[in-house]
Amino acid sequence: MNAWVVDEPRPLTHSPLRWGLRPVPKPDAGELLVRVLVCGVCRTDLHVVEGELPVHTRGVVPGHEVVGEVVACDPAGTGFDVGERVGVPWLRETCGHCGFCVHGAENLCPRSRYTGWDADGGYAEFLTVPAAYAYRLPGGYSDAELAPLLCAGLIGYRAWKRAEVPIGGVLGLYGFGASAHLTAQVAIASGARVHVLTRAARARELALDLGATSARAAADEPPEPLDSAVLFAPVGELVPVALAALRRGGTVVVAGIHLSDIPALDYHRHLFYERDLRSVTANTRADGLDFLRFADRHHLRVTTTPYRFDRADAALRDLAADRVDGAAVLLPGG
């Protein structure tokens, strides 16, 4: 099969990805072999490729927003049928018996493993996934629209939950890419006013088109104090900016897996009056099921920028330069 492989993580300017042939993987017991129909391009892929995340598997195939078709499985052992459409997310496996797993926080499992980081992902024609971690997908969406839901949507949904936006409250979103443009719709559908703060002018236009109350530059003040904020841009310098924009008792949630260094905080200006700073680590399968049910009930407008599979490197370059509207997706044809 054709696949993109991370030979050695390094900046995109030094071509860390190699396009070539790999053996089609063989599914283990309890796994599905999936033919990739579409794979979303996530900023986490960029962190894996450029080495901002530590190497977990040498020569890994990145990609973890996969919509695919089951081509091999054991129906008695997986609950899926050949020919069924499935979603393959970032979270690939957890131990199932540690304290975190037992108490509903499997995203914090110390032995968790991830698609496109610990095991080969969707920048390829085929991949495997443990059936227990694959999702059945809602109707009413194209394959390309479904792919970003499987990480951008899931992480944004968990970040929105951790932000604890009060009913009728005010949410600020810092950065407005694949995840934020879905989170904004979840928040608006739930009754919140949303203010978007991001550097890209086209992203600000999209935010207003999707129903945001305002859209300004990333370092600007929102037009009113925020009850909560979610930081999607991996820019640590925005943490004190977001904290300073909060009302008393407000919450800032950092949604990304990677963040540049946070500057020194002024306790009284940024944290006093019971302001909270929280992080997000992956998601649980329960989060995924909840979000996909939400997406089934409230049809989300998923904005995508398509690329052929053989142009994954170009998609990552455009993502790094904020040249992608919504979510980049890799389509067959390369």
Side-chain angles (χ1 to χ4, degrees), residues 47-133:
H47 299 321
V48 169
V49 167
E50 293 201 301
E52 290 169 324
L53 294 179
V55 174
H56 278 194
T57 301
R58 295 284 177 186
V60 74
V61 176
H64 57 274
E65 295 179 322
V66 180
V67 175
E69 177 187 3
V70 177
V71 296
C73 65
D74 176 3
T78 66
F80 287 90
D81 295 318
V82 170
E84 190 168 354
R85 186 172 68 165
V86 297
V88 182
W90 173 239
L91 183 66
R92 178 182 176 87
E93 192 173 33
T94 58
C95 76
H97 58 259
C98 71
F100 295 110
C101 288
V102 170
H103 293 99
E106 65 181 1
N107 60 310
L108 301 179
C109 174
R111 289 177 287 281
S112 56
R113 301 180 72 243
Y114 299 92
T115 306
W117 194 18
D118 296 289
D120 287 342
Y123 286 25
E125 293 179 284
F126 297 90
L127 82 164
T128 64
V129 59
Y133 291 81

Side-chain angles (χ1 to χ4, degrees), residues 173 176 180-181 184-185 188 193-198 200-217 223 301 303:
L173 300 178
F176 202 75
H181 95 285
Q185 294 177 70
I188 292 167
R193 293 193 304 282
V194 174
H195 299 292
V196 170
L197 301 114
T198 189
R202 279 165 47 178
R204 295 196 291 270
E205 292 173 7
L206 176 60
L208 294 173
D209 191 39
L210 291 174
T213 301
S214 75
R216 301 183 174 188
R301 179 176 152 192
T303 301

Side-chain angles (χ1 to χ4, degrees), residues 90-286:
W90 173 239
L91 183 66
R92 178 182 176 87
E93 192 173 33
T94 58
C95 76
H97 58 259
C98 71
F100 295 110
C101 288
V102 170
H103 293 99
E106 65 181 1
N107 60 310
L108 301 179
C109 174
R111 289 177 287 281
S112 56
R113 301 180 72 243
Y114 299 92
T115 306
W117 194 18
D118 296 289
D120 287 342
Y123 286 25
E125 293 179 284
F126 297 90
L127 82 164
T128 64
V129 59
Y133 291 81
Y135 290 111
R136 287 185 168 86
L137 299 169
Y141 295 88
S142 69
D143 293 341
E145 290 172 326
L146 284 168
L149 301 185
L150 293 164
C151 181
L154 294 186
I155 289 297
Y157 184 76
R158 185 168 181 87
W160 171 73
K161 284 173 54 180
R162 285 187 55 75
E164 297 184 351
V165 185
I167 296 174
V170 182
L171 174 66
L173 300 178
Y174 288 81
F176 202 75
S179 194
H181 95 285
L182 297 172
T183 308
Q185 294 177 70
V186 171
I188 292 167
S190 301
R193 293 193 304 282
V194 174
H195 299 292
V196 170
L197 301 114
T198 189
R199 67 181 181 179
R202 279 165 47 178
R204 295 196 291 270
E205 292 173 7
L206 176 60
L208 294 173
D209 191 39
L210 291 174
T213 301
S214 75
R216 301 183 174 188
D220 288 351
E221 289 188 14
E224 59 182 321
L226 306 175
D227 293 301
S228 307
V230 179
L231 181 63
F232 289 104
V235 182
E237 291 180 356
L238 290 177
V239 170
V241 173
L243 286 167
L246 291 179
R247 300 182 192 273
R248 299 182 181 199
T251 299
V252 168
V253 176
V254 178
I257 193 172
H258 171 79
L259 186 71
S260 61
D261 290 344
I262 300 173
L265 299 178
D266 179 284
Y267 175 68
H268 193 273
R269 184 180 178 201
H270 299 131
L271 292 174
F272 195 51
Y273 297 120
E274 299 189 355
R275 298 183 181 96
D276 288 336
L277 177 61
R278 299 177 177 179
S279 66
V280 172
T281 300
N283 59 273
T284 67
R285 283 172 286 177

